[in-house]
């Protein structure tokens, strides 16, 4: 069982995935060491998983192939399947098409 800490009371040397990313690190396959709980009224607490900073590995560098794949994926998310035009924004999944196509009869 992972240790559980209350909000803002985790010891030094532990970080969330976002905090690791800000440091240029990634968990690197290590297991969750602890959980951070933020209490909320009348709801279950928010939970964040903590990893050890000393066991974290550096983020893999962006290669040209990875950059091209990411650009292609983002282009596909911006292209409307109806009019086949780059909308300039990610098409909402709830609509399934760009806003002008959705609003036109």
């Amino acid at each position: 069982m992972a240790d559980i800490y209350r909000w803002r009371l985790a010891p030094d040397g532990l970080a969330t995935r976002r905090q690791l990313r800000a440091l240029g690190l990634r968990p690197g396959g290590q297991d969750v060491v602890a959980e951070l709980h933020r209490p909320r009224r009348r709801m279950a607490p928010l939970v964040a998983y903590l990893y050890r900073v000393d066991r974290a590995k550096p983020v893999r560098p962006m290669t040209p192939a990875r950059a091209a794949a990411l650009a292609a994926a983002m282009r596909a998310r911006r292209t409307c399947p109806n009019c086949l035009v780059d909308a300039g924004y990610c098409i909402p999944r709830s609509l399934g098409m760009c806003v002008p196509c959705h609003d036109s009869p």
Side-chain angles (χ1 to χ4, degrees):
M1 178 79 186
D3 294 333
I4 298 175
Y5 298 102
R6 288 191 49 106
W7 188 251
R8 298 185 189 267
L9 296 179
D12 292 336
L14 299 180
T16 63
R17 287 170 93 64
R18 246 182 219 195
Q19 291 168 337
L20 287 175
R21 188 61 146 185
L23 297 171
L25 301 171
R26 62 186 168 96
Q30 65 175 304
D31 291 330
V32 173
V33 176
E35 293 180 1
L36 189 65
H37 286 210
R38 180 178 183 187
R40 299 188 294 178
R41 293 181 190 196
R42 299 187 197 113
M43 289 194 284
L46 292 175
V47 177
Y49 299 110
L50 300 174
Y51 302 91
R52 289 184 48 174
V53 176
D54 59 345
R55 289 189 185 170
K57 296 180 180 178
V59 174
R60 294 184 186 113
M62 183 65 73
T63 63
R66 286 179 66 198
L70 181 60
M74 292 305 293
R75 189 169 39 262
R77 289 183 65 191
R78 289 191 318 261
T79 303
C80 177
N82 284 358
C83 60
L84 301 176
V85 174
D86 186 343
Y89 55 88
C90 289
I91 304 294
R93 290 176 49 190
S94 60
L95 300 179
M97 60 188 79
C98 65
V99 176
C101 287
H102 181 264
D103 289 344
S104 65

